[in-house]
Structure formats: C-alpha cells, structure tokens
Amino acid sequence: MTNLNEKKTAISQRQQVLRLLDRFTPALAFVALIGLWEISTRVFSIPSFLLPAPSRILADGFAVAASTWAGHIWATMRVALIGYLLAIAIGIPMAVGLAKSRFLARTLYPALIIIQSTPIVAVAPIIVVTLGAGDLPRIVITFLITFFPIVVSTTTGLLATPEELIELSRSLRAGTRREVMQVRLPYALPYIFSALKISTTLAVIGAVVAEFVAADKGLGFFISFSTSFFKIPQAFAGLVFLVILSMLLFRTVGFLQKRFAPWSLPKNER
Amino acid sequence: MNMPPAISFDAVEQVFTGNDGAPIHALSDLSFSVARHEFVSVLGPSGCGKSTLLRLVAGLIAPTGGSVSIFGYPVQEPRDEIGIVFQKPTLLPWYTVINNVTFPMRHKYGRVQAKDTARALQLLDLVGLADFADKRIDELSGGMQQRVGIARALLLDPDILLMDEPFSALDALTRDEMSFELLRIWRDRPKTVLFITHSIPEALLLSDRILVMSERPGSIREEIKVPFERPRTLETLGDPEFTRLANHIRSTLFSKPVAA
C-alpha cells in the first residue's frame, strides 16, 4: 500500500516536472540558442564584424550611454506610433467608404492597389526630398507601409457581416450609420485586430526604412551609422532594441484585444 | 366593413436577375391572405421562393408585380409591426443575452431605457431563459440561442411574427421541444405568424393553415386547413389524421402538376 502511494507521488512529481518543462520550453530554447551562438563564435573564432558574440553585443550595447539609447528609441517609436495611429485613423473610415459605396470602391481601390504595388522603400527617398527634413516624411512613409493591410482587412470584415444581420438592421430601419457602427464594425473586429497586429511590425519597418534614407536620430539611423563605422556589435545592439520595440507594440495590441474585445478571439486564446 | 387581413398577397410576381444576368422567376401569381392572430405555415421544396415571400412581407424587397399589404396598407418599407426570426439565430456575439434582446431598441432609437430592459427580462422569462440574461452568446446551446432570437423578435411587440425556418439548424430532439415551446409562447402572446418551413410534421403541429408551394416559380399548389384541436400535444403527433395529412402533403409535394 505504501509502495503504491510512493509510486503515485513519484508519478505526480514527474508530471509536475514535465509541466514546468513545458511552461519554460520557449525560454529554455531561447537561452540554448544564444548559448550555441556564443560558443560557436568562440570555437570557430568568427570575427566580430561578421557575427559578433552575444556577450560582445551586450558589452558594446552598454558602452553606449543610456540617454543616447533613449533618444534613438524614442525617435523611432514616435515615428512608428504616429504613422501607425494615422493609418488606423484614415484606414478604417476609408474601409467603411469602400464597403458601403460602390463609387468609392470603383475609384479608390485601383489607386490603393497602385500604392501598395509601389515598393515604398524605393519611393522613400523621393518622399524625403518632397516633404523635406523633420518627422513628416518618416511618418508618411510609415503610414504608407501600414495602412494597406488595415484597409483591406477592415473592408473584408465589413463585407463578411452575415446577410441576416444586415436584414435585421434594415428591418429596424436603423440607418446606415448605426448599421456600420453597431453591426458591421463590431463584426469586423477580428479582421481589424489581425491587421492591426500585422501592422505593428510594419510600422517599425516603415520607421526604420525612413531613417535609413534621411534622419539624424532613431534606431534605423543608429544602425546605418554604426555599420558605416564597422561597429557591427553596436549595430546588433540597435537591432535588439528594434526587435523589442516591435514585440512590445505587437503585444500591446494583443493585450488590448483581449481586454476590450475578448469575443473576437478564438476560444482558446481568451 | 371587415377588418383587413394581417397579410395579403395579390397576384405577386417576383423576378430576380441571376449572377449570369438571366432572369430568375422566383414567385408567380401568388395570392393568399393571413388573418389576424392566425398561424400559417408556408411549406415547399427548397428554392421555391419561400424566403423571398418572407422578405416581401418584411419590406426588405419590393415585388416585381402585384402587391403585398399589411393590415390593408401596401408594404413599401420595413415596418414596426413585424418581428423576424431568422434561420440562424443571428445574434451579436459582443453583447450579452439581455443586450441582444434589447438590441432592436438600441439599434432603432440609439438607447435602451430601464423599461426596455424590464420588458426584455420578461421575454427571456417567457422563452425560459430568465437565468441566462447576463451570459455571453457562445455560452448558449443552439436551441437557447434561437430562443434569444425569438425573444428579440418580440421586443417591439410586433403584430406579425415572420419565422424563416427557425428550427432547421437544430437537432431533431431540440426541434420538437422548440415547436411545443413556440406553441406555448404563441398561446401567451397571440401573434399573426407566418412560418416558413420544409418540415411537414412541424407545419402540421403548429399551424392553423398550411400553404403548400410549388417549385420555382413558386405559387400555391394547395391550401390545407389543419383540423386538430388546440392546445396541441404529443398525442396530436400520434393522431391517424396527422399521418394521413402528412402523407397527403408529401404526395402533393412530389407530384408534378403536369403529370397530375
């Protein structure tokens, strides 16, 4: 009997260990990868201008003053956020227009597709020349990269509203404004949020591309500046901050969705 | 003068333009009327224009020819006298049960007053969901969701209830249960009901009258008065006359008018 109980405790302990392992697998995998990277740079003595070791990136990162980092991070974040919010503020009403008006759909959609088909990276230098120095050209470039997925997804969501819900709305003679605000837009939220998530990373890309072209601040500027002086570990440190920034924006949108529109998530993600 | 019928169709024609541009003749020379507080089922093969008929009454589409009237007035746009229960529950997942029931007020007038909420609670009690008012929609079973749909259709206290195969998405057991529920609700709140279905037993159990429709272009092939006493119970289903009528309707549906 005691033997059996011991066996049971042994099994439950085993399960606990497995559960802990499962929980920390992503973190462990990450640490292992960094370790492997560190070891291989040392074992194969890879020069730091080809691939710096994580320890070197860390050290060079710390060599830059915190206030300098803060300045660059803030510059990039500001441009990315303003461009992103602008894309939402213009993209969603535009999607409503596209979904509700055949005329707008016929006139605006081709223009949108032309804009999307134009490689923004190639247009960026032109925009900088046209709009001059300052944040404006960078914000416009970020906006142009982020807003297309928002417009397309929102339009798709607005048009995916079940016909019967629209008939319900029409049978109440509620009017187009309420139909859009109370039925179509909430129905489109899952589509809108998936676009908003994709667009966070695009916003950071947009800001960095703009900084590559013309800037005196920002992580994109910092990276291109560092590489031109062959300070590759320092450029990598800038890259780390960009990844963190991107992930932070992505997570924030995910959090907002979970907090304010949990029904728009699949059941197992609520 | 007699009171005009709740619903009347006079030589209604309905022609749609199909996706390929060719005209689709959905309804042809359709005439019938439904008296106030009568329960009438429209029974027919799929694609015979049953749903078109319902949308004409609702004022969601206009007839190509002839006229549709409600209480003697031609239907020109959706009216407050009508509540619709759809094939699928068509609820809003971002609202709780109670907010789904009060949705017509919010949607039509922009606000929900305390008395509307009180009314909605009464209706939820009527459909047997008093304890579920604050639940989310996805916590409800299919049958419960359809009950919410019925409560919502009753919120503005319509004279006419249009039901478009409301139980067709439910499993057989829930479906029978819902039929008896509907009879109970109808007894408590008498309404003129136009009930679209493709289930013969459902039509026989519920209706005062059944309109059997032909294939497209839809018109009325036969009109059957259902003789059973109310309230109808499980025993009604076992009545030999029930079986006889069911067989009769079935043979009507399967016979081609040309062959007959």
Side-chain angles (χ1 to χ4, degrees), chain B residues 30 40-45 48 50 197 200 203 209-215 218-225 245 248-254:
Chain B
L30 187 66
V40 173
S41 287
V42 178
L43 188 71
C48 73
K50 300 191 295 280
T197 183
I200 296 168
R209 213 146 43 95
I210 300 175
L211 306 174
V212 183
M213 286 186 72
S214 64
E215 274 139 5
S219 60
I220 292 166
R221 183 173 287 177
E222 194 178 346
E223 188 189 315
I224 292 166
K225 275 207 182 319
L245 274 175
H248 170 72
I249 295 171
R250 202 164 287 125
S251 64
T252 310
L253 280 173
F254 284 120

Short mmCIF file of all heavy atoms in Angstrom, two decimals, chain B residues 30 40-45 48 50 197 200 203 209-215 218-225 245 248-254:
data_model
loop_
_atom_site.label_atom_id
_atom_site.label_comp_id
_atom_site.label_asym_id
_atom_site.label_seq_id
_atom_site.Cartn_x
_atom_site.Cartn_y
_atom_site.Cartn_z
N LEU B 30 -48.83 34.89 -57.10
CA LEU B 30 -49.03 34.40 -55.74
C LEU B 30 -50.07 35.25 -55.02
O LEU B 30 -49.91 36.46 -54.88
CB LEU B 30 -47.69 34.45 -54.98
CG LEU B 30 -47.65 33.83 -53.59
CD1 LEU B 30 -47.85 32.33 -53.67
CD2 LEU B 30 -46.32 34.14 -52.94
N VAL B 40 -49.94 30.56 -39.88
CA VAL B 40 -49.90 29.96 -41.21
C VAL B 40 -48.48 29.53 -41.55
O VAL B 40 -47.53 30.29 -41.37
CB VAL B 40 -50.41 30.96 -42.27
CG1 VAL B 40 -50.21 30.42 -43.67
CG2 VAL B 40 -51.88 31.28 -42.03
N SER B 41 -48.37 28.30 -42.01
CA SER B 41 -47.06 27.81 -42.45
C SER B 41 -46.98 27.81 -43.95
O SER B 41 -47.97 27.54 -44.63
CB SER B 41 -46.82 26.39 -41.95
OG SER B 41 -46.57 26.38 -40.58
N VAL B 42 -45.80 28.13 -44.45
CA VAL B 42 -45.55 28.00 -45.89
C VAL B 42 -44.57 26.86 -46.07
O VAL B 42 -43.47 26.88 -45.52
CB VAL B 42 -44.96 29.31 -46.46
CG1 VAL B 42 -44.66 29.15 -47.94
CG2 VAL B 42 -45.92 30.46 -46.23
N LEU B 43 -45.01 25.85 -46.79
CA LEU B 43 -44.24 24.62 -46.91
C LEU B 43 -43.89 24.43 -48.38
O LEU B 43 -44.75 24.59 -49.24
CB LEU B 43 -45.11 23.47 -46.41
CG LEU B 43 -44.51 22.09 -46.25
CD1 LEU B 43 -43.55 22.08 -45.08
CD2 LEU B 43 -45.61 21.07 -46.01
N GLY B 44 -42.65 24.09 -48.63
CA GLY B 44 -42.32 23.88 -50.03
C GLY B 44 -40.92 23.37 -50.21
O GLY B 44 -40.11 23.43 -49.28
N PRO B 45 -40.60 22.87 -51.40
CA PRO B 45 -39.25 22.38 -51.67
C PRO B 45 -38.25 23.52 -51.58
O PRO B 45 -38.62 24.68 -51.73
CB PRO B 45 -39.34 21.83 -53.09
CG PRO B 45 -40.51 22.53 -53.70
CD PRO B 45 -41.45 22.82 -52.60
N CYS B 48 -37.98 27.29 -53.65
CA CYS B 48 -39.28 27.60 -54.27
C CYS B 48 -39.69 29.04 -54.01
O CYS B 48 -40.78 29.45 -54.36
CB CYS B 48 -40.36 26.64 -53.77
SG CYS B 48 -40.88 26.96 -52.08
N LYS B 50 -39.73 30.51 -50.85
CA LYS B 50 -40.32 30.71 -49.51
C LYS B 50 -39.71 31.92 -48.81
O LYS B 50 -40.42 32.75 -48.27
CB LYS B 50 -40.07 29.47 -48.61
CG LYS B 50 -40.65 28.18 -49.12
CD LYS B 50 -40.59 27.10 -48.04
CE LYS B 50 -39.19 26.69 -47.63
NZ LYS B 50 -38.56 25.74 -48.54
N THR B 197 -41.18 26.78 -43.55
CA THR B 197 -40.56 25.52 -43.13
C THR B 197 -40.47 24.55 -44.31
O THR B 197 -41.14 24.74 -45.34
CB THR B 197 -41.35 24.87 -41.98
OG1 THR B 197 -40.69 23.69 -41.55
CG2 THR B 197 -42.77 24.54 -42.40
N ILE B 200 -42.78 18.79 -42.82
CA ILE B 200 -44.23 18.56 -42.85
C ILE B 200 -44.80 18.40 -41.43
O ILE B 200 -45.79 19.06 -41.09
CB ILE B 200 -44.57 17.33 -43.74
CG1 ILE B 200 -44.16 17.65 -45.18
CG2 ILE B 200 -46.05 16.99 -43.68
CD1 ILE B 200 -44.16 16.45 -46.10
N ALA B 203 -45.04 21.78 -39.67
CA ALA B 203 -46.13 22.61 -40.19
C ALA B 203 -47.47 22.13 -39.65
O ALA B 203 -48.31 22.93 -39.23
CB ALA B 203 -46.11 22.59 -41.71
N ARG B 209 -53.26 26.79 -40.74
CA ARG B 209 -53.39 26.60 -42.18
C ARG B 209 -51.99 26.38 -42.76
O ARG B 209 -51.02 26.95 -42.27
CB ARG B 209 -53.99 27.85 -42.81
CG ARG B 209 -54.86 27.61 -43.99
CD ARG B 209 -56.00 28.63 -44.04
NE ARG B 209 -55.58 29.99 -43.73
CZ ARG B 209 -55.27 30.92 -44.68
NH1 ARG B 209 -55.28 30.60 -45.94
NH2 ARG B 209 -54.95 32.13 -44.29
N ILE B 210 -51.91 25.55 -43.80
CA ILE B 210 -50.62 25.32 -44.46
C ILE B 210 -50.76 25.69 -45.93
O ILE B 210 -51.72 25.26 -46.58
CB ILE B 210 -50.18 23.84 -44.34
CG1 ILE B 210 -50.03 23.44 -42.88
CG2 ILE B 210 -48.87 23.61 -45.09
CD1 ILE B 210 -49.73 21.98 -42.68
N LEU B 211 -49.84 26.51 -46.41
CA LEU B 211 -49.79 26.80 -47.84
C LEU B 211 -48.69 25.95 -48.44
O LEU B 211 -47.52 26.13 -48.11
CB LEU B 211 -49.50 28.28 -48.08
CG LEU B 211 -50.42 29.28 -47.39
CD1 LEU B 211 -49.92 30.71 -47.62
CD2 LEU B 211 -51.85 29.14 -47.89
N VAL B 212 -49.08 24.99 -49.30
CA VAL B 212 -48.08 24.13 -49.93
C VAL B 212 -47.67 24.79 -51.24
O VAL B 212 -48.53 25.05 -52.09
CB VAL B 212 -48.62 22.71 -50.17
CG1 VAL B 212 -47.54 21.82 -50.77
CG2 VAL B 212 -49.15 22.11 -48.88
N MET B 213 -46.38 25.05 -51.37
CA MET B 213 -45.92 25.77 -52.57
C MET B 213 -45.37 24.83 -53.63
O MET B 213 -44.87 23.75 -53.32
CB MET B 213 -44.87 26.81 -52.19
CG MET B 213 -45.49 28.02 -51.50
SD MET B 213 -44.30 29.32 -51.20
CE MET B 213 -44.04 29.95 -52.85
N SER B 214 -45.43 25.28 -54.86
CA SER B 214 -44.87 24.51 -55.97
C SER B 214 -43.40 24.88 -56.13
O SER B 214 -42.92 25.82 -55.51
CB SER B 214 -45.62 24.85 -57.25
OG SER B 214 -45.40 26.21 -57.56
N GLU B 215 -42.72 24.12 -57.00
CA GLU B 215 -41.33 24.51 -57.30
C GLU B 215 -41.33 25.82 -58.08
O GLU B 215 -42.36 26.31 -58.51
CB GLU B 215 -40.66 23.41 -58.15
CG GLU B 215 -40.07 22.32 -57.29
CD GLU B 215 -40.32 20.95 -57.87
OE1 GLU B 215 -40.88 20.85 -58.98
OE2 GLU B 215 -39.98 19.97 -57.19
N GLY B 218 -42.47 29.90 -57.71
CA GLY B 218 -43.34 29.49 -56.62
C GLY B 218 -44.73 30.07 -56.70
O GLY B 218 -44.92 31.26 -56.95
N SER B 219 -45.70 29.18 -56.53
CA SER B 219 -47.07 29.64 -56.36
C SER B 219 -47.74 28.62 -55.44
O SER B 219 -47.14 27.60 -55.12
CB SER B 219 -47.80 29.72 -57.71
OG SER B 219 -47.83 28.45 -58.29
N ILE B 220 -48.96 28.88 -55.01
CA ILE B 220 -49.57 27.97 -54.05
C ILE B 220 -50.22 26.81 -54.77
O ILE B 220 -51.08 26.98 -55.63
CB ILE B 220 -50.57 28.73 -53.16
CG1 ILE B 220 -49.78 29.69 -52.28
CG2 ILE B 220 -51.36 27.76 -52.28
CD1 ILE B 220 -50.61 30.71 -51.61
N ARG B 221 -49.76 25.61 -54.43
CA ARG B 221 -50.30 24.42 -55.08
C ARG B 221 -51.53 23.94 -54.33
O ARG B 221 -52.49 23.49 -54.92
CB ARG B 221 -49.23 23.33 -55.10
CG ARG B 221 -49.68 22.09 -55.82
CD ARG B 221 -48.56 21.10 -55.96
NE ARG B 221 -47.58 21.54 -56.95
CZ ARG B 221 -46.48 20.86 -57.20
NH1 ARG B 221 -46.20 19.75 -56.53
NH2 ARG B 221 -45.63 21.28 -58.11
N GLU B 222 -51.48 24.04 -53.02
CA GLU B 222 -52.63 23.60 -52.25
C GLU B 222 -52.66 24.32 -50.91
O GLU B 222 -51.63 24.68 -50.37
CB GLU B 222 -52.56 22.09 -52.02
CG GLU B 222 -53.88 21.54 -51.52
CD GLU B 222 -53.85 20.03 -51.33
OE1 GLU B 222 -52.92 19.38 -51.82
OE2 GLU B 222 -54.76 19.53 -50.67
N GLU B 223 -53.87 24.53 -50.41
CA GLU B 223 -54.02 25.16 -49.12
C GLU B 223 -54.72 24.16 -48.22
O GLU B 223 -55.75 23.59 -48.58
CB GLU B 223 -54.87 26.41 -49.30
CG GLU B 223 -54.96 27.26 -48.08
CD GLU B 223 -55.98 28.38 -48.27
OE1 GLU B 223 -55.99 29.01 -49.33
OE2 GLU B 223 -56.78 28.56 -47.35
N ILE B 224 -54.14 23.88 -47.05
CA ILE B 224 -54.69 22.85 -46.18
C ILE B 224 -55.07 23.46 -44.84
O ILE B 224 -54.25 24.11 -44.19
CB ILE B 224 -53.66 21.72 -45.99
CG1 ILE B 224 -53.47 20.99 -47.31
CG2 ILE B 224 -54.12 20.74 -44.90
CD1 ILE B 224 -52.27 20.10 -47.34
N LYS B 225 -56.31 23.25 -44.46
CA LYS B 225 -56.73 23.67 -43.11
C LYS B 225 -56.38 22.54 -42.16
O LYS B 225 -56.68 21.38 -42.41
CB LYS B 225 -58.25 23.88 -43.09
CG LYS B 225 -58.67 25.25 -43.54
CD LYS B 225 -59.99 25.61 -42.90
CE LYS B 225 -60.51 26.98 -43.33
NZ LYS B 225 -59.52 28.03 -43.44
N LEU B 245 -52.70 13.29 -43.23
CA LEU B 245 -52.43 14.61 -43.82
C LEU B 245 -50.97 14.73 -44.25
O LEU B 245 -50.67 15.28 -45.32
CB LEU B 245 -52.76 15.71 -42.81
CG LEU B 245 -54.23 16.18 -42.79
CD1 LEU B 245 -54.45 17.18 -41.67
CD2 LEU B 245 -54.62 16.82 -44.13
N HIS B 248 -50.55 12.97 -47.38
CA HIS B 248 -51.19 13.72 -48.46
C HIS B 248 -50.29 14.87 -48.94
O HIS B 248 -50.08 15.05 -50.15
CB HIS B 248 -52.53 14.26 -47.95
CG HIS B 248 -53.16 15.23 -48.90
ND1 HIS B 248 -53.71 14.84 -50.09
CD2 HIS B 248 -53.27 16.59 -48.86
CE1 HIS B 248 -54.16 15.90 -50.74
NE2 HIS B 248 -53.90 16.98 -50.01
N ILE B 249 -49.72 15.61 -47.95
CA ILE B 249 -48.86 16.74 -48.32
C ILE B 249 -47.62 16.24 -49.06
O ILE B 249 -47.21 16.81 -50.07
CB ILE B 249 -48.44 17.54 -47.06
CG1 ILE B 249 -49.66 18.19 -46.42
CG2 ILE B 249 -47.41 18.61 -47.41
CD1 ILE B 249 -49.41 18.81 -45.06
N ARG B 250 -47.09 15.14 -48.55
CA ARG B 250 -45.88 14.58 -49.18
C ARG B 250 -46.17 14.24 -50.65
O ARG B 250 -45.38 14.57 -51.53
CB ARG B 250 -45.44 13.33 -48.41
CG ARG B 250 -43.99 12.99 -48.61
CD ARG B 250 -43.49 12.01 -47.55
NE ARG B 250 -43.31 12.64 -46.25
CZ ARG B 250 -43.87 12.21 -45.12
NH1 ARG B 250 -44.66 11.15 -45.12
NH2 ARG B 250 -43.65 12.84 -44.00
N SER B 251 -47.31 13.61 -50.90
CA SER B 251 -47.60 13.23 -52.28
C SER B 251 -47.86 14.48 -53.12
O SER B 251 -47.50 14.53 -54.29
CB SER B 251 -48.78 12.26 -52.34
OG SER B 251 -49.93 12.91 -51.87
N THR B 252 -48.44 15.51 -52.50
CA THR B 252 -48.65 16.77 -53.24
C THR B 252 -47.31 17.38 -53.64
O THR B 252 -47.12 17.83 -54.77
CB THR B 252 -49.40 17.80 -52.35
OG1 THR B 252 -50.54 17.17 -51.80
CG2 THR B 252 -49.81 19.01 -53.16
N LEU B 253 -46.36 17.34 -52.70
CA LEU B 253 -45.06 17.94 -52.96
C LEU B 253 -44.31 17.19 -54.05
O LEU B 253 -43.58 17.79 -54.83
CB LEU B 253 -44.21 17.95 -51.68
CG LEU B 253 -44.51 19.06 -50.68
CD1 LEU B 253 -43.74 18.84 -49.40
CD2 LEU B 253 -44.16 20.42 -51.28
N PHE B 254 -44.48 15.89 -54.09
CA PHE B 254 -43.68 15.11 -55.03
C PHE B 254 -44.32 14.98 -56.40
O PHE B 254 -43.67 14.62 -57.35
CB PHE B 254 -43.37 13.73 -54.45
CG PHE B 254 -42.29 13.79 -53.41
CD1 PHE B 254 -42.53 13.37 -52.11
CD2 PHE B 254 -41.04 14.29 -53.74
CE1 PHE B 254 -41.53 13.45 -51.15
CE2 PHE B 254 -40.04 14.37 -52.79
CZ PHE B 254 -40.29 13.94 -51.49
#
